Amino acid sequence: MQDLLAMRDLSSAQLSHILDLAQTIKQRPSAWQNHLQGKSIALVFEKPSLRTRASFAAGINRLGGHSIYLDAENLMGSREPASDVGANLALWHDAIVARVYSQATLDELAKASDKPVINALSDECHPCQALADLLTLTEQLGDLSKVTLTYVGDGCNVCHALMAGAALAGMNLQIVTPVGYEPNAERLADAQKVGETTGAKITLHHDFNNLQQTDAIYTDTWFSMGQERDSNQVMHDFAPYQVNQDLMKQLGAKYFMHCLPAYRGREVTAEVIDGPQSLILHQAENRLHAQNAVLVELFAGAQA
Ligand code: CP
Ligand code: NVA
């Protein structure tokens, strides 16, 4: 592994290795406390973040490394090209973690930098989130190839990352979106193709009529950062897709998942997200462990 730009860059074997490694690091953090000693990592964020920023900073610290945060809201593209940012940061830092508006910015950063680049969320994908989510599902349910997950809501970056991850892990993923808010058709076809070899089943739906019973329901905000959408239209289009207790019961869901930040009363009711079936804090905690596994793996590759 040289970079982690999108979930679809991983192979099934790499995914399973990262999830195993994340569990090992989580169980025995002291064994890894000097792993990034002397290493410096730049956290470059064009958009706000709580979990990603704070978990990378804390995780890098736990591995013995150092991080700096760069607010890049008006940096790449407007102040200077992403390629110059990448080439410069690589002079002083050992890796770049970047949250960007456009996936193309990540590609530019990675091309210009001879150090690993990690996608901390783009318009297209949120791989660190999906890794934490798959780690959480593994902890709760075991073998991912036996898990059915139902993603309800916007076919956004989080949906794309789960789609690619589910395909690699051989899962059954049912995606339910309003018409017009589907995930990218090419990415869906890619995931379905991967599923032909891994046994994963990835299906797209617009209603809840023909769904299988599910282990967990996952949703995300209806208003992703940087999207310009008519809010009245969105509220109208997504209203039938709210995750509430009735839907949890209808699909036999044991667990509820959300990447956060969440908007109670919109995509999910407070009763569900704050109730006993909710895995949101497990997911958030696992961000750190999954990301640390990625860092360990990327530096192993860089040293090879
Ligand atoms: N889930 C997630 O990425 O949260 P932040 O936007 O707070 O980083
Ligand atoms: N889809 C959301 C995820 C936030 C973590 C967004 O892009 O804003």
Side-chain angles (χ1 to χ4, degrees):
M1 247 173 95
Q2 287 188 324
D3 301 293
L4 179 62
L5 303 183
M7 201 66 184
R8 66 195 150 88
D9 292 344
L10 296 175
S11 66
S12 288
Q14 281 173 319
L15 172 63
S16 127
H17 177 67
I18 288 171
L19 295 179
D20 287 348
L21 186 57
Q23 282 179 297
T24 309
I25 297 175
K26 184 173 178 176
Q27 280 154 15
R28 236 164 40 94
S30 60
W32 306 87
Q33 66 193 7
N34 297 320
H35 207 80
L36 296 190
Q37 200 166 25
K39 300 250 189 297
S40 175
I41 298 178
L43 310 178
V44 186
F45 279 54
E46 289 186 324
K47 302 178 187 179
S49 167
L50 171 71
R51 277 146 294 274
T52 310
R53 176 182 175 177
S55 60
F56 263 111
I60 290 164
N61 187 49
R62 281 197 204 179
L63 295 174
H66 174 78
S67 64
I68 64 153
Y69 177 78
L70 291 160
D71 177 352
E73 199 185 336
N74 296 307
L75 184 65
M76 289 180 285
S78 50
R79 188 164 186 266
E80 56 187 309
S83 53
D84 283 355
V85 174
N88 277 258
L89 288 175
L91 300 172
W92 318 301
H93 296 284
D94 300 286
I96 300 169
V97 173
R99 170 166 287 196
V100 296
Y101 284 97
S102 162
Q103 185 76 20
T105 305
L106 283 173
D107 294 335
E108 264 189 79
L109 279 174
K111 208 168 149 202
S113 148
D114 56 357
K115 305 286 170 54
V117 174
I118 299 175
N119 180 351
L121 180 142
S122 68
D123 56 342
E124 190 185 305
C125 198
H126 198 0
C128 296
Q129 181 66 52
L131 290 172
D133 297 337
L134 296 183
L135 178 59
T136 305
L137 284 168
T138 305
E139 287 174 342
Q140 302 298 327
L141 295 162
D143 183 355
L144 289 176
S145 71
K146 298 194 170 65
V147 169
T148 295
L149 177 66
T150 303
Y151 178 91
V152 179
D154 191 18
C156 62
N157 43 15
V158 167
C159 177
H160 287 161
L162 284 172
M163 215 160 68
L168 293 171
M171 287 166 60
N172 181 20
L173 175 66
Q174 314 181 106
I175 301 165
V176 191
T177 75
V179 173
Y181 300 90
E182 298 84 2
N184 177 287
E186 205 181 319
R187 296 284 160 262
L188 175 62
D190 289 346
Q192 286 167 332
K193 186 139 186 49
V194 171
E196 287 169 18
T197 54
T198 62
K201 208 169 140 216
I202 320 278
T203 53
L204 177 63
H205 311 255
H206 293 302
D207 58 47
F208 300 99
N209 294 335
N210 295 310
L211 297 184
Q212 292 172 16
Q213 294 285 285
T214 193
D215 293 300
I217 298 181
Y218 196 123
T219 192
D220 186 13
T221 177
W222 300 338
F223 298 94
S224 281
M225 292 178 279
Q227 275 176 343
E228 287 181 15
R229 284 177 167 174
D230 176 336
S231 56
N232 288 334
Q233 187 68 49
V234 167
M235 294 298 277
H236 170 269
D237 295 345
F238 279 87
Y241 298 84
Q242 183 187 66
V243 181
N244 50 37
Q245 214 48 269
D246 287 345
L247 186 64
M248 293 289 286
K249 278 200 192 109
Q250 183 186 331
L251 297 183
K254 189 168 177 200
Y255 296 118
F256 170 77
M257 301 178 78
H258 195 307
C259 57
L260 305 178
Y263 301 87
R264 288 161 176 81
R266 288 190 188 170
E267 72 268 15
V268 59
T269 58
E271 189 189 11
V272 169
I273 194 168
D274 299 321
Q277 294 169 291
S278 179
L279 295 179
I280 54 171
L281 292 183
H282 294 275
Q283 294 172 261
E285 187 197 342
N286 281 334
R287 292 295 306 271
L288 184 151
H289 306 297
Q291 289 158 192
N292 276 6
V294 169
L295 287 167
V296 166
E297 202 45 29
L298 283 172
F299 283 112
Q303 280 151 16

